Amino acid sequence: MATPGTPDSGQALVPGLAELLSVLLSAGQLTSRTLGQAAGAAAGEDWERRFAETLHFLQRRVKGDYAVDDFGFDRDFTTHTVFPVLRLLKDKWFRVEVRGIENIPADSGALLVSNHSGTVAIDSVITQLAIHDAHPQQRFLRMLGADLVFQLPVVGDVARKTGATLASNADAERLLRGGELVGVWPEGFKGVGKPFRERYKLQRFGRGGFVSAAIRSEVPIIPCSVVGAEEVYPMIGNMKTVARLLGAPYAPITPFFPLLGPLGLIPLPSKWIIEFGEPVDTASLGPAAAEDPMLVFELTDQVRETIQQTLYSVLVTRRSVFF
């Protein structure tokens, strides 16, 4: 028989322990539910789908179940690693507005030619993502980059994985004939590194090599005009001595860099508008037309003038730099 004050097998050894555990368990369930709802609200209604896609992506990488093409393009890596990060910039920071996406073909080859700006050349990757997100077929833009891009550690490897390749006619024609959408920025570093006072004024387009590639491949040329990138890092000076020491085309001075150190690298939240113009036909000219320097020059000038006039027309309608 149990003596007074001695708990039997049905009593708690420590008074209130069961109640305490119950309260803690309830609090844990409530916290878990609250955090889950908060995470869902932050990630959007389809956060569970995104989480599942991330797990599948990790499984594929561990198993090696993904493909890389001859140029090093890794679609799986681009879609699930690079694009989600860039999408925050595109949608939340720059609030990119896309116009004329219907001018980009559904599945055939085409050469996209765009202005280049911004001191730090992020306009190319933002354009790539804008096309992928806005196009009904979610097309990938295969970017042609300068030698310096692929000489940089890490940056060169990431560029290859995200679809970039060396800016050469041979590679461009191979991609175009394979039905790819190829992007070129003929201004090069002259466009990216120009002073802020020369914003939205196109630099020389070179000798028209991109036009020759389009004619030989018999694909249309699509003019692209990007407004907003010029104000991301306004370049007010150039440290030429530093640039020579680093082997870089320029060493920019902006209102916040290098004055604020790493904080000066945060891009300004300018409002972007990307407009794709009507395709310029080259198939009717025939591949042999690529050997006519006057024709190539005229077509190059036509594309350049189209982009320049579009930039002016968009700037006239823009309410402000940041809204």
Side-chain angles (χ1 to χ4, degrees):
M1 292 180 62
T3 58
T6 303
D8 60 19
S9 59
Q11 291 180 301
L13 294 175
V14 180
L17 180 59
E19 289 80 2
L20 179 60
L21 291 174
S22 177
V23 170
L24 291 175
L25 181 60
S26 300
Q29 291 174 338
L30 178 61
T31 303
S32 176
R33 244 190 338 264
T34 303
L35 291 175
Q37 291 171 353
E45 295 180 355
D46 59 344
W47 69 273
E48 290 185 359
R49 177 184 59 80
R50 294 180 183 178
F51 183 69
E53 288 180 353
T54 301
L55 289 181
H56 290 316
F57 167 73
L58 294 175
Q59 290 175 349
R60 289 194 300 274
R61 304 311 287 192
V62 171
K63 296 178 181 178
D65 185 19
Y66 58 92
V68 178
D69 73 6
D70 294 341
F71 295 91
F73 178 38
D74 187 337
R75 292 184 180 228
D76 197 41
F77 172 82
T78 302
T79 304
H80 295 95
T81 302
V82 179
F83 277 2
V85 176
L86 290 177
R87 195 168 282 120
L88 293 175
L89 279 177
K90 180 181 79 73
D91 295 339
K92 305 300 182 183
W93 197 248
F94 299 137
R95 295 144 292 138
V96 176
E97 176 185 343
V98 176
R99 301 175 182 176
I101 193 67
E102 67 277 1
N103 290 320
I104 295 179
D107 51 16
S108 57
L111 181 67
L112 184 140
V113 181
S114 179
N115 61 307
H116 215 11
S117 61
T119 305
V120 177
I122 60 174
D123 53 351
S124 55
V125 292
I126 294 296
T127 300
Q128 180 193 37
L129 178 59
I131 292 173
H132 179 270
D133 288 353
H135 199 279
Q137 276 69 44
Q138 295 186 318
R139 297 208 65 177
F140 287 93
L141 179 66
R142 306 299 299 273
M143 301 170 290
L144 300 180
D147 297 1
L148 179 61
V149 174
F150 302 100
Q151 293 170 1
L152 296 173
V154 181
V155 174
D157 292 336
V158 173
R160 286 281 185 191
K161 285 181 176 293
T162 54
T165 190
L166 193 63
S168 68
N169 276 15
D171 285 355
E173 290 173 25
R174 183 180 172 190
L175 287 167
L176 290 170
R177 289 169 180 164
E180 297 286 355
L181 179 64
V182 178
V184 63
W185 289 260
E187 293 176 280
F189 291 116
K190 297 189 303 293
V192 182
K194 64 178 177 287
F196 186 63
R197 63 178 179 274
E198 297 180 12
R199 60 193 180 279
Y200 299 114
K201 294 179 181 178
L202 294 183
Q203 306 298 300
R204 283 185 64 252
F205 267 21
R207 295 171 299 203
F210 67 91
V211 170
S212 300
I215 294 175
R216 290 194 188 94
S217 305
E218 299 183 280
V219 299
I221 299 173
I222 302 171
C224 174
S225 305
V226 180
V227 169
E230 294 276 18
E231 291 85 11
V232 171
Y233 297 105
M235 184 169 167
I236 59 176
N238 183 10
M239 299 177 286
K240 295 182 179 180
T241 303
V242 175
R244 283 195 296 269
L245 291 173
L246 296 176
Y250 55 88
I253 299 174
T254 74
F256 305 108
F257 181 85
L259 181 63
L260 299 183
L263 290 177
L265 298 176
I266 299 175
L268 296 179
S270 57
K271 165 68 177 176
W272 285 34
I273 299 172
I274 302 178
E275 182 165 333
F276 303 104
E278 294 184 3
V280 178
D281 174 62
T282 66
S284 60
L285 300 175
E291 307 305 323
D292 185 346
M294 287 304 297
L295 178 62
V296 170
F297 175 79
E298 290 176 4
L299 200 53
T300 301
D301 194 55
Q302 176 188 341
V303 172
R304 183 183 181 278
E305 187 63 22
T306 299
I307 297 173
Q308 183 67 83
Q309 293 304 318
T310 304
L311 288 173
Y312 287 150
S313 64
V314 174
L315 285 170
V316 169
T317 61
R318 185 173 66 164
R319 291 186 301 167
S320 71
V321 173
F322 300 106
F323 301 100

